[in-house]
Amino acid sequence: MSEIHVFNHRAMATQFQVRIAKEEKTYAAQAAQAAFALTDELESHLSRFRANSDISQIAQLQPGQSLRLSEPTFACLEIAKRMEETTHGAFSVAAAALKSQPTPPQWTLVKPKFSIRCDAGKLEFDLGAIGKGFALDRMADVLREWDCPAFLLVAGGSSILAGEAPPQTPGWSCGLGDDNSPHRFFLENCSLSGSGLAVKGPHIFDPRTGQLAQRQNRAWALTDTAAESDALSTACMVLNETEITPILANNERWLVFLEDSGALRNFGVRAQPARA
């Protein structure tokens, strides 16, 4: 098997890692740095902790006001809006807003103007459950532009995006949870994200009720893109099995794993990847 080159970078309050196979080390390093540079740029748009970011400016809008957005922010919010609709409100970038206002804020994306309009409430957005995945998807685009298709991208250990498999392997070996997890799969051209209570304790709000989610201990989602897998794994922390089943039935490219007392159950029609 050819050597795999590993590069690390701190951004979005987490550790990003790029692993590249089938490339000369110096060239792989240049490609990885280009991907990391994009991550830093995305953080400047998407972080609610940056005073001049799009997300911070959105929070200042009054009902009826609009703001023109950067292309990355608009694209990320488009995915967030679609995931909110698909999960029937179990995922929302405005979930935390219910801590300071009685009802969810309402907003509309206006594509011809690349803008967002505040319809009601204060748009207190937190992209923590989708922004890192969105960054991985955009980083993957950069690596493919550099003709480095065999890669594995990791954000904080909870979000993984796999490109083509390393030579002479069935895919990138990835576990559900920590490195010692007994549940490992070979991933290729897909994303795996996890959400849980083990590290931070109860911290995920159900956007439908404003209450902390306690339904699952851990949930993982396997999809084609990292933005989708991030959002879906978060939604599955507040959905019950009866709610999850029809959502996955309508999305044949999605697969969900739920952990119950150490046992793993999967939901969805997408075939499981090969066990590692």
Side-chain angles (χ1 to χ4, degrees), residues 212-237:
L212 283 169
Q214 302 271 354
R215 194 173 299 280
Q216 319 290 351
N217 286 324
R218 303 178 87 175
W220 293 270
L222 181 73
T223 69
D224 290 338
T225 71
E228 285 186 345
S229 64
D230 269 9
L232 184 59
S233 68
T234 301
C236 287
M237 290 294 295

PDB file of all heavy atoms in Angstrom, residues 212-237:
ATOM      1  N   LEU A 212     -33.858  20.071  26.155  1.00  0.00           N
ATOM      2  CA  LEU A 212     -32.672  19.276  25.876  1.00  0.00           C
ATOM      3  C   LEU A 212     -33.072  17.874  25.435  1.00  0.00           C
ATOM      4  O   LEU A 212     -33.996  17.278  25.996  1.00  0.00           O
ATOM      5  CB  LEU A 212     -31.780  19.191  27.111  1.00  0.00           C
ATOM      6  CG  LEU A 212     -30.944  20.429  27.434  1.00  0.00           C
ATOM      7  CD1 LEU A 212     -30.320  20.294  28.812  1.00  0.00           C
ATOM      8  CD2 LEU A 212     -29.864  20.643  26.383  1.00  0.00           C
ATOM      9  N   ALA A 213     -32.374  17.375  24.423  1.00  0.00           N
ATOM     10  CA  ALA A 213     -32.670  16.037  23.898  1.00  0.00           C
ATOM     11  C   ALA A 213     -32.071  14.981  24.802  1.00  0.00           C
ATOM     12  O   ALA A 213     -30.900  15.053  25.170  1.00  0.00           O
ATOM     13  CB  ALA A 213     -32.104  15.900  22.488  1.00  0.00           C
ATOM     14  N   GLN A 214     -32.869  13.977  25.149  1.00  0.00           N
ATOM     15  CA  GLN A 214     -32.390  12.886  25.997  1.00  0.00           C
ATOM     16  C   GLN A 214     -32.721  11.532  25.377  1.00  0.00           C
ATOM     17  O   GLN A 214     -32.545  10.499  25.993  1.00  0.00           O
ATOM     18  CB  GLN A 214     -33.070  12.970  27.373  1.00  0.00           C
ATOM     19  CG  GLN A 214     -32.842  14.279  28.106  1.00  0.00           C
ATOM     20  CD  GLN A 214     -31.607  14.267  28.980  1.00  0.00           C
ATOM     21  OE1 GLN A 214     -30.969  13.239  29.127  1.00  0.00           O
ATOM     22  NE2 GLN A 214     -31.267  15.406  29.542  1.00  0.00           N
ATOM     23  N   ARG A 215     -33.214  11.526  24.138  1.00  0.00           N
ATOM     24  CA  ARG A 215     -33.782  10.298  23.578  1.00  0.00           C
ATOM     25  C   ARG A 215     -32.720   9.238  23.284  1.00  0.00           C
ATOM     26  O   ARG A 215     -32.920   8.050  23.529  1.00  0.00           O
ATOM     27  CB  ARG A 215     -34.565  10.629  22.298  1.00  0.00           C
ATOM     28  CG  ARG A 215     -35.470   9.490  21.842  1.00  0.00           C
ATOM     29  CD  ARG A 215     -36.335   9.932  20.675  1.00  0.00           C
ATOM     30  NE  ARG A 215     -37.192  11.029  21.010  1.00  0.00           N
ATOM     31  CZ  ARG A 215     -38.339  10.926  21.677  1.00  0.00           C
ATOM     32  NH1 ARG A 215     -38.741   9.747  22.101  1.00  0.00           N
ATOM     33  NH2 ARG A 215     -39.082  11.985  21.917  1.00  0.00           N
ATOM     34  N   GLN A 216     -31.572   9.634  22.689  1.00  0.00           N
ATOM     35  CA  GLN A 216     -30.521   8.686  22.321  1.00  0.00           C
ATOM     36  C   GLN A 216     -29.257   8.989  23.117  1.00  0.00           C
ATOM     37  O   GLN A 216     -29.019  10.127  23.517  1.00  0.00           O
ATOM     38  CB  GLN A 216     -30.190   8.784  20.817  1.00  0.00           C
ATOM     39  CG  GLN A 216     -31.370   8.938  19.885  1.00  0.00           C
ATOM     40  CD  GLN A 216     -32.213   7.687  19.785  1.00  0.00           C
ATOM     41  OE1 GLN A 216     -31.852   6.633  20.284  1.00  0.00           O
ATOM     42  NE2 GLN A 216     -33.365   7.793  19.133  1.00  0.00           N
ATOM     43  N   ASN A 217     -28.431   7.970  23.305  1.00  0.00           N
ATOM     44  CA  ASN A 217     -27.101   8.197  23.865  1.00  0.00           C
ATOM     45  C   ASN A 217     -26.116   8.592  22.778  1.00  0.00           C
ATOM     46  O   ASN A 217     -25.320   9.512  22.937  1.00  0.00           O
ATOM     47  CB  ASN A 217     -26.603   6.943  24.586  1.00  0.00           C
ATOM     48  CG  ASN A 217     -27.302   6.729  25.912  1.00  0.00           C
ATOM     49  OD1 ASN A 217     -27.620   7.687  26.608  1.00  0.00           O
ATOM     50  ND2 ASN A 217     -27.551   5.480  26.254  1.00  0.00           N
ATOM     51  N   ARG A 218     -26.195   7.886  21.633  1.00  0.00           N
ATOM     52  CA  ARG A 218     -25.308   8.187  20.508  1.00  0.00           C
ATOM     53  C   ARG A 218     -26.020   7.845  19.216  1.00  0.00           C
ATOM     54  O   ARG A 218     -26.794   6.879  19.155  1.00  0.00           O
ATOM     55  CB  ARG A 218     -23.996   7.388  20.612  1.00  0.00           C
ATOM     56  CG  ARG A 218     -23.232   7.607  21.883  1.00  0.00           C
ATOM     57  CD  ARG A 218     -21.974   6.766  21.953  1.00  0.00           C
ATOM     58  NE  ARG A 218     -20.838   7.422  21.322  1.00  0.00           N
ATOM     59  CZ  ARG A 218     -19.599   6.941  21.336  1.00  0.00           C
ATOM     60  NH1 ARG A 218     -19.344   5.793  21.914  1.00  0.00           N
ATOM     61  NH2 ARG A 218     -18.620   7.588  20.756  1.00  0.00           N
ATOM     62  N   ALA A 219     -25.757   8.632  18.206  1.00  0.00           N
ATOM     63  CA  ALA A 219     -26.337   8.386  16.885  1.00  0.00           C
ATOM     64  C   ALA A 219     -25.290   8.714  15.834  1.00  0.00           C
ATOM     65  O   ALA A 219     -24.519   9.677  15.976  1.00  0.00           O
ATOM     66  CB  ALA A 219     -27.587   9.240  16.676  1.00  0.00           C
ATOM     67  N   TRP A 220     -25.258   7.904  14.782  1.00  0.00           N
ATOM     68  CA  TRP A 220     -24.363   8.144  13.651  1.00  0.00           C
ATOM     69  C   TRP A 220     -25.182   8.137  12.365  1.00  0.00           C
ATOM     70  O   TRP A 220     -26.158   7.383  12.244  1.00  0.00           O
ATOM     71  CB  TRP A 220     -23.289   7.066  13.551  1.00  0.00           C
ATOM     72  CG  TRP A 220     -22.299   7.062  14.669  1.00  0.00           C
ATOM     73  CD1 TRP A 220     -21.116   7.731  14.748  1.00  0.00           C
ATOM     74  CD2 TRP A 220     -22.407   6.332  15.902  1.00  0.00           C
ATOM     75  NE1 TRP A 220     -20.490   7.467  15.928  1.00  0.00           N
ATOM     76  CE2 TRP A 220     -21.253   6.612  16.663  1.00  0.00           C
ATOM     77  CE3 TRP A 220     -23.375   5.470  16.426  1.00  0.00           C
ATOM     78  CZ2 TRP A 220     -21.046   6.068  17.922  1.00  0.00           C
ATOM     79  CZ3 TRP A 220     -23.171   4.922  17.689  1.00  0.00           C
ATOM     80  CH2 TRP A 220     -22.020   5.224  18.412  1.00  0.00           C
ATOM     81  N   ALA A 221     -24.757   8.943  11.422  1.00  0.00           N
ATOM     82  CA  ALA A 221     -25.435   9.001  10.126  1.00  0.00           C
ATOM     83  C   ALA A 221     -24.404   8.830   9.020  1.00  0.00           C
ATOM     84  O   ALA A 221     -23.329   9.450   9.041  1.00  0.00           O
ATOM     85  CB  ALA A 221     -26.172  10.327   9.954  1.00  0.00           C
ATOM     86  N   LEU A 222     -24.744   7.986   8.049  1.00  0.00           N
ATOM     87  CA  LEU A 222     -23.905   7.758   6.876  1.00  0.00           C
ATOM     88  C   LEU A 222     -24.651   8.293   5.663  1.00  0.00           C
ATOM     89  O   LEU A 222     -25.774   7.862   5.371  1.00  0.00           O
ATOM     90  CB  LEU A 222     -23.629   6.265   6.704  1.00  0.00           C
ATOM     91  CG  LEU A 222     -22.742   5.862   5.523  1.00  0.00           C
ATOM     92  CD1 LEU A 222     -21.287   6.238   5.799  1.00  0.00           C
ATOM     93  CD2 LEU A 222     -22.846   4.369   5.255  1.00  0.00           C
ATOM     94  N   THR A 223     -24.056   9.256   4.965  1.00  0.00           N
ATOM     95  CA  THR A 223     -24.680   9.881   3.797  1.00  0.00           C
ATOM     96  C   THR A 223     -23.593  10.144   2.752  1.00  0.00           C
ATOM     97  O   THR A 223     -22.430   9.811   2.948  1.00  0.00           O
ATOM     98  CB  THR A 223     -25.372  11.208   4.166  1.00  0.00           C
ATOM     99  OG1 THR A 223     -24.370  12.185   4.505  1.00  0.00           O
ATOM    100  CG2 THR A 223     -26.315  11.048   5.357  1.00  0.00           C
ATOM    101  N   ASP A 224     -23.989  10.792   1.671  1.00  0.00           N
ATOM    102  CA  ASP A 224     -23.017  11.105   0.624  1.00  0.00           C
ATOM    103  C   ASP A 224     -22.185  12.337   0.957  1.00  0.00           C
ATOM    104  O   ASP A 224     -21.055  12.472   0.483  1.00  0.00           O
ATOM    105  CB  ASP A 224     -23.727  11.320  -0.714  1.00  0.00           C
ATOM    106  CG  ASP A 224     -24.292  10.030  -1.289  1.00  0.00           C
ATOM    107  OD1 ASP A 224     -23.802   8.945  -0.913  1.00  0.00           O
ATOM    108  OD2 ASP A 224     -25.220  10.100  -2.109  1.00  0.00           O
ATOM    109  N   THR A 225     -22.735  13.276   1.728  1.00  0.00           N
ATOM    110  CA  THR A 225     -22.022  14.516   2.035  1.00  0.00           C
ATOM    111  C   THR A 225     -21.912  14.710   3.540  1.00  0.00           C
ATOM    112  O   THR A 225     -22.761  14.243   4.309  1.00  0.00           O
ATOM    113  CB  THR A 225     -22.726  15.747   1.429  1.00  0.00           C
ATOM    114  OG1 THR A 225     -23.952  15.994   2.149  1.00  0.00           O
ATOM    115  CG2 THR A 225     -23.026  15.533  -0.054  1.00  0.00           C
ATOM    116  N   ALA A 226     -20.881  15.438   3.948  1.00  0.00           N
ATOM    117  CA  ALA A 226     -20.641  15.633   5.374  1.00  0.00           C
ATOM    118  C   ALA A 226     -21.624  16.613   5.991  1.00  0.00           C
ATOM    119  O   ALA A 226     -21.971  16.482   7.173  1.00  0.00           O
ATOM    120  CB  ALA A 226     -19.208  16.120   5.594  1.00  0.00           C
ATOM    121  N   ALA A 227     -22.088  17.603   5.248  1.00  0.00           N
ATOM    122  CA  ALA A 227     -23.090  18.521   5.794  1.00  0.00           C
ATOM    123  C   ALA A 227     -24.365  17.759   6.135  1.00  0.00           C
ATOM    124  O   ALA A 227     -24.971  17.965   7.192  1.00  0.00           O
ATOM    125  CB  ALA A 227     -23.382  19.643   4.801  1.00  0.00           C
ATOM    126  N   GLU A 228     -24.778  16.852   5.255  1.00  0.00           N
ATOM    127  CA  GLU A 228     -25.975  16.057   5.510  1.00  0.00           C
ATOM    128  C   GLU A 228     -25.777  15.115   6.698  1.00  0.00           C
ATOM    129  O   GLU A 228     -26.661  14.995   7.554  1.00  0.00           O
ATOM    130  CB  GLU A 228     -26.347  15.235   4.272  1.00  0.00           C
ATOM    131  CG  GLU A 228     -26.987  16.026   3.157  1.00  0.00           C
ATOM    132  CD  GLU A 228     -27.470  15.124   2.032  1.00  0.00           C
ATOM    133  OE1 GLU A 228     -27.070  13.940   1.984  1.00  0.00           O
ATOM    134  OE2 GLU A 228     -28.254  15.597   1.201  1.00  0.00           O
ATOM    135  N   SER A 229     -24.642  14.436   6.759  1.00  0.00           N
ATOM    136  CA  SER A 229     -24.431  13.476   7.848  1.00  0.00           C
ATOM    137  C   SER A 229     -24.348  14.183   9.194  1.00  0.00           C
ATOM    138  O   SER A 229     -24.858  13.673  10.204  1.00  0.00           O
ATOM    139  CB  SER A 229     -23.178  12.628   7.597  1.00  0.00           C
ATOM    140  OG  SER A 229     -22.003  13.414   7.582  1.00  0.00           O
ATOM    141  N   ASP A 230     -23.740  15.372   9.247  1.00  0.00           N
ATOM    142  CA  ASP A 230     -23.697  16.144  10.486  1.00  0.00           C
ATOM    143  C   ASP A 230     -25.102  16.492  10.956  1.00  0.00           C
ATOM    144  O   ASP A 230     -25.461  16.282  12.118  1.00  0.00           O
ATOM    145  CB  ASP A 230     -22.895  17.435  10.275  1.00  0.00           C
ATOM    146  CG  ASP A 230     -21.429  17.280  10.599  1.00  0.00           C
ATOM    147  OD1 ASP A 230     -20.983  16.141  10.822  1.00  0.00           O
ATOM    148  OD2 ASP A 230     -20.708  18.296  10.615  1.00  0.00           O
ATOM    149  N   ALA A 231     -25.897  17.049  10.049  1.00  0.00           N
ATOM    150  CA  ALA A 231     -27.245  17.481  10.410  1.00  0.00           C
ATOM    151  C   ALA A 231     -28.126  16.291  10.775  1.00  0.00           C
ATOM    152  O   ALA A 231     -28.895  16.343  11.746  1.00  0.00           O
ATOM    153  CB  ALA A 231     -27.870  18.266   9.254  1.00  0.00           C
ATOM    154  N   LEU A 232     -28.008  15.198  10.017  1.00  0.00           N
ATOM    155  CA  LEU A 232     -28.857  14.037  10.266  1.00  0.00           C
ATOM    156  C   LEU A 232     -28.529  13.366  11.586  1.00  0.00           C
ATOM    157  O   LEU A 232     -29.439  12.941  12.323  1.00  0.00           O
ATOM    158  CB  LEU A 232     -28.725  13.044   9.111  1.00  0.00           C
ATOM    159  CG  LEU A 232     -29.621  11.805   9.179  1.00  0.00           C
ATOM    160  CD1 LEU A 232     -31.096  12.188   9.233  1.00  0.00           C
ATOM    161  CD2 LEU A 232     -29.348  10.881   7.989  1.00  0.00           C
ATOM    162  N   SER A 233     -27.257  13.238  11.925  1.00  0.00           N
ATOM    163  CA  SER A 233     -26.900  12.609  13.202  1.00  0.00           C
ATOM    164  C   SER A 233     -27.432  13.439  14.368  1.00  0.00           C
ATOM    165  O   SER A 233     -27.870  12.885  15.385  1.00  0.00           O
ATOM    166  CB  SER A 233     -25.384  12.424  13.319  1.00  0.00           C
ATOM    167  OG  SER A 233     -24.709  13.659  13.424  1.00  0.00           O
ATOM    168  N   THR A 234     -27.411  14.761  14.226  1.00  0.00           N
ATOM    169  CA  THR A 234     -27.960  15.627  15.269  1.00  0.00           C
ATOM    170  C   THR A 234     -29.470  15.449  15.383  1.00  0.00           C
ATOM    171  O   THR A 234     -30.021  15.328  16.486  1.00  0.00           O
ATOM    172  CB  THR A 234     -27.632  17.099  14.974  1.00  0.00           C
ATOM    173  OG1 THR A 234     -26.213  17.262  14.907  1.00  0.00           O
ATOM    174  CG2 THR A 234     -28.183  18.015  16.057  1.00  0.00           C
ATOM    175  N   ALA A 235     -30.153  15.404  14.241  1.00  0.00           N
ATOM    176  CA  ALA A 235     -31.603  15.218  14.250  1.00  0.00           C
ATOM    177  C   ALA A 235     -31.990  13.907  14.902  1.00  0.00           C
ATOM    178  O   ALA A 235     -32.993  13.822  15.629  1.00  0.00           O
ATOM    179  CB  ALA A 235     -32.146  15.276  12.824  1.00  0.00           C
ATOM    180  N   CYS A 236     -31.194  12.873  14.678  1.00  0.00           N
ATOM    181  CA  CYS A 236     -31.524  11.557  15.219  1.00  0.00           C
ATOM    182  C   CYS A 236     -31.320  11.474  16.730  1.00  0.00           C
ATOM    183  O   CYS A 236     -31.743  10.499  17.355  1.00  0.00           O
ATOM    184  CB  CYS A 236     -30.710  10.471  14.515  1.00  0.00           C
ATOM    185  SG  CYS A 236     -31.282  10.151  12.825  1.00  0.00           S
ATOM    186  N   MET A 237     -30.710  12.487  17.314  1.00  0.00           N
ATOM    187  CA  MET A 237     -30.616  12.536  18.766  1.00  0.00           C
ATOM    188  C   MET A 237     -31.947  12.944  19.397  1.00  0.00           C
ATOM    189  O   MET A 237     -32.158  12.737  20.590  1.00  0.00           O
ATOM    190  CB  MET A 237     -29.520  13.524  19.191  1.00  0.00           C
ATOM    191  CG  MET A 237     -28.106  13.054  18.889  1.00  0.00           C
ATOM    192  SD  MET A 237     -27.633  11.601  19.860  1.00  0.00           S
ATOM    193  CE  MET A 237     -27.636  12.271  21.518  1.00  0.00           C
TER     194      MET A 237
END
